[in-house]
Amino acid sequence: MNQLTSKQQIYNYLQKMSQHFQLDRFSNFTTITISKELNISRSLTSQYLNELVKDDLVVKISSRPVYYLSKNALEQIYHVVLKQNEYISIHELMQELKYSSPDLKDFQKSVGYDGSLSYPISQIKSALLYPDGLPIILYGERGTGKMFLVSCMKAFCQNHLNEKGHIVLDVKKVSLHEERAAQMEDLFGYEHNGEVKKGILENSDGKLLCIQDAQYLSDQAQEKIADFLRYGYFCREGNEYVRVQSKVRLVLCIENEPRISLNENLLINIPVICHIPSLQERSEDERTRLVVHFFQEEQERLKRKILISEKLCNFLVNYQFQGNISDLQKSIKAICANAFSETIHGEEMEVRIYHLPIHLLEQMSVDKYEKEEATFVRIDSFEKHELGEKMIQMWEQLLNAYVDLKKQSKFTSSLFGDWSRCSPSLL
């Protein structure tokens, strides 16, 4: 068997690592890391990486440090065709992935689709695009947005599958106190004395079926679902001889780690398991975007421009809501209701720290009648100007390159002259 060349080893490494690529994690894709992982000299690693870029196999991000990713892997994960092999920054690559992706109408609605949710969403897409679909488990704390992602799945299926326009979402919510017999009949249907009742699995043939709070499924129900996933059919309760087939795209939503919540036999038959992070596990930027998003929804509903105090914004971004995103959204609704009741007229509405719901306000010792020295920010002003961001990043990279060159050569320093001193005025 022929031994792989160093160049092939580097490409295989990037192909493998890029399969698990997340837009907020780049540490595995630098020349130094690749060199250490493969035990290849840094100079040779750099040479082969640049050759792979020229070969149209690898994408290069010319930031500090420089990053390299498998082009093929990125295109498969995000279902795009990348227009170039070199990008001046991570931001530029993110923008192309964002605007070239054909699924902007579905998963892009999720805050964090390009960050903490990028890997779960890539898993979900792969499962949905697989012929007849693969079963999926979504697990995460209550209120983390699992059902919102399920609604995005429905939109994705409508946008990308052949049965476009015919995908229906059925939701079965399992109760902790539901009787086992009733649960089995509800899921699989039953036959008794000539009477036939179809269960939700049969009625969901050709549909997307979400079983919410699946941790409350009985062991018997889990075993029977596992057999259905393995063999493609099941029998109604009361009749073990008639096989019922159903092509259903199945999603199970649970709150705890799958091995704690579900039967091992069921887990073996579900290849796609996605962890949905809690609100506190998300980055500060994503938490801020969620706060802004919910205030923008209220702004649209109330037809009034909202100005938020920085103190209130900081509190909402950093507070540990027990119910995660769901509790955050409810709190923002309550805040806007309190502020709206004080300012029935006018085109603008200020929301302050004392507009918090009473159970949150009690934790801060804030006097409602005390004047708040506040700096207010328009909710709309949180929208970033992408072109300005890109220009700033480009100048930062040029200046960083200038500093490096200045250290390396006096000749280079004299060639650049006093360019760095004029750059702030250009910004």
Side-chain angles (χ1 to χ4, degrees):
M1 183 176 179
N2 292 333
Q3 190 173 359
L4 291 176
T5 65
S6 296
K7 185 174 177 179
Q8 289 172 324
Q9 290 180 49
I10 291 171
Y11 176 71
N12 289 347
Y13 170 87
L14 286 178
Q15 183 73 3
K16 179 181 177 181
M17 297 304 296
S18 299
Q19 293 291 340
H20 306 288
F21 164 70
Q22 295 187 42
L23 286 169
D24 58 348
R25 296 180 184 175
F26 281 85
S27 59
N28 292 322
F29 303 99
T30 64
T31 304
I32 295 175
T33 302
I34 297 168
S35 172
K36 288 180 179 178
E37 288 292 327
L38 300 178
N39 199 24
I40 301 172
S41 72
R42 186 175 174 182
S43 59
L44 274 178
T45 300
S46 178
Q47 176 188 325
Y48 291 139
L49 283 168
N50 283 288
E51 288 179 8
L52 288 167
V53 173
K54 290 179 182 178
D55 294 339
D56 201 30
L57 296 173
V58 166
V59 166
K60 179 179 181 179
I61 304 173
S62 301
S63 56
R64 286 175 56 83
V66 177
Y67 300 108
Y68 298 89
L69 299 103
S70 165
K71 187 174 184 180
N72 178 57
L74 286 178
E75 290 178 336
Q76 286 183 352
I77 291 171
Y78 294 97
H79 307 290
V80 300
V81 176
L82 294 174
K83 300 173 184 177
Q84 59 196 65
N85 298 339
E86 295 191 46
Y87 298 85
I88 63 169
S89 66
I90 294 169
H91 177 75
E92 186 182 25
L93 173 61
M94 289 171 65
Q95 292 306 107
E96 179 161 343
L97 291 173
K98 176 179 177 180
Y99 291 115
S100 300
S101 176
D103 48 43
L104 299 182
K105 296 182 289 295
D106 30 74
F107 287 109
Q108 194 201 359
K109 296 177 183 178
S110 303
V111 172
Y113 81 97
D114 54 355
S116 65
L117 296 180
S118 61
Y119 183 56
I121 286 175
S122 71
Q123 287 180 290
I124 292 168
K125 289 179 184 177
S126 299
L128 294 175
L129 292 172
Y130 193 86
D132 294 328
L134 292 173
I136 301 168
I137 290 175
L138 300 183
Y139 76 96
E141 296 176 12
R142 186 172 294 276
T144 49
K146 297 186 292 292
M147 291 307 298
F148 181 79
L149 280 176
V150 171
S151 69
C152 292
M153 291 184 206
K154 176 188 175 183
F156 181 85
C157 290
Q158 290 174 328
N159 293 332
H160 297 280
L161 300 180
N162 292 333
E163 55 265 46
K164 184 175 179 179
H166 300 287
I167 286 289
V168 176
L169 171 62
D170 286 338
V171 178
K172 157 69 176 172
K173 185 173 176 63
V174 184
S175 168
L176 173 62
H177 305 292
E178 190 173 15
E179 291 185 5
R180 188 176 66 177
Q183 188 180 95
M184 295 293 288
E185 291 177 359
D186 196 24
L187 287 168
F188 304 101
Y190 69 85
E191 292 186 27
H192 182 66
N193 294 333
E195 181 186 359
V196 176
K197 178 193 173 186
K198 293 182 178 180
I200 193 168
L201 279 171
E202 189 172 353
N203 285 325
S204 297
D205 184 23
K207 301 178 183 179
L208 180 67
L209 171 61
C210 172
I211 300 181
Q212 194 176 1
D213 292 328
Q215 66 267 18
Y216 298 137
L217 287 171
S218 67
D219 287 340
Q220 186 182 0
Q222 292 188 41
E223 286 288 348
K224 197 162 182 175
I225 292 173
D227 290 340
F228 163 61
L229 295 176
R230 184 185 296 114
Y231 302 116
Y233 65 84
F234 60 89
C235 296
R236 299 188 190 100
E237 294 293 289
N239 187 335
E240 298 179 0
Y241 303 101
V242 177
R243 293 178 175 180
V244 179
Q245 293 185 331
S246 178
K247 290 185 177 180
V248 58
R249 297 175 185 274
L250 184 64
V251 182
L252 304 183
C253 291
I254 58 177
E255 292 182 16
N256 299 316
E257 215 278 335
R259 296 197 177 278
I260 298 173
S261 304
L262 299 175
N263 183 296
E264 185 177 352
N265 196 28
L266 178 57
L267 287 177
I268 290 172
N269 290 280
I270 302 182
V272 180
I273 300 176
C274 306
H275 172 59
I276 310 305
S278 67
L279 184 59
Q280 285 304 307
E281 287 175 319
R282 289 176 175 247
S283 66
E284 183 177 337
D285 176 64
E286 287 185 9
R287 296 198 302 272
T288 303
R289 284 159 60 190
L290 283 164
V291 169
V292 171
H293 172 73
F294 292 135
F295 272 115
Q296 286 175 334
E297 285 187 340
E298 294 304 310
Q299 182 173 259
E300 181 65 25
R301 185 176 290 108
L302 299 172
K303 306 298 181 187
R304 189 169 297 186
K305 295 292 182 183
I306 293 178
L307 292 86
I308 182 173
S309 76
E310 287 187 355
K311 190 174 182 181
L312 174 60
C313 185
N314 289 334
F315 174 83
L316 293 172
V317 168
N318 295 300
Y319 183 75
Q320 295 189 23
F321 289 93
Q322 188 174 0
N324 291 288
I325 297 172
S326 178
D327 273 8
L328 171 63
Q329 184 178 24
K330 290 175 186 175
S331 297
I332 289 175
K333 280 183 178 293
I335 289 167
C336 290
N338 291 336
F340 186 77
S341 66
E342 294 179 1
T343 55
I344 298 297
H345 305 290
E347 297 180 354
E348 292 185 345
M349 182 174 78
E350 293 181 351
V351 289
R352 299 171 178 263
I353 198 77
Y354 62 70
H355 289 130
L356 282 164
I358 190 66
H359 70 281
L360 297 179
L361 199 59
E362 287 174 346
Q363 301 181 37
M364 299 192 64
S365 302
V366 176
D367 182 355
K368 179 173 180 178
Y369 302 100
E370 179 185 346
K371 281 195 173 182
E372 180 185 354
E373 295 293 332
T375 302
F376 288 92
V377 182
R378 286 182 180 274
I379 284 297
D380 293 333
S381 72
F382 280 89
E383 296 294 324
K384 295 178 180 178
H385 193 292
E386 291 169 355
L387 178 61
E389 243 189 12
K390 196 168 182 177
M391 289 296 294
I392 290 170
Q393 286 181 345
M394 183 181 72
W395 275 110
E396 285 177 348
Q397 288 163 8
L398 285 171
L399 289 171
N400 286 333
Y402 163 72
V403 171
D404 286 346
L405 288 169
K406 187 175 180 181
K407 289 177 181 177
Q408 294 172 14
S409 168
K410 290 182 179 180
F411 171 75
T412 307
S413 175
S414 63
L415 184 64
F416 274 84
D418 293 328
W419 180 35
S420 63
R421 286 201 293 271
C422 73
S423 59
S425 63
L426 294 175
L427 289 172

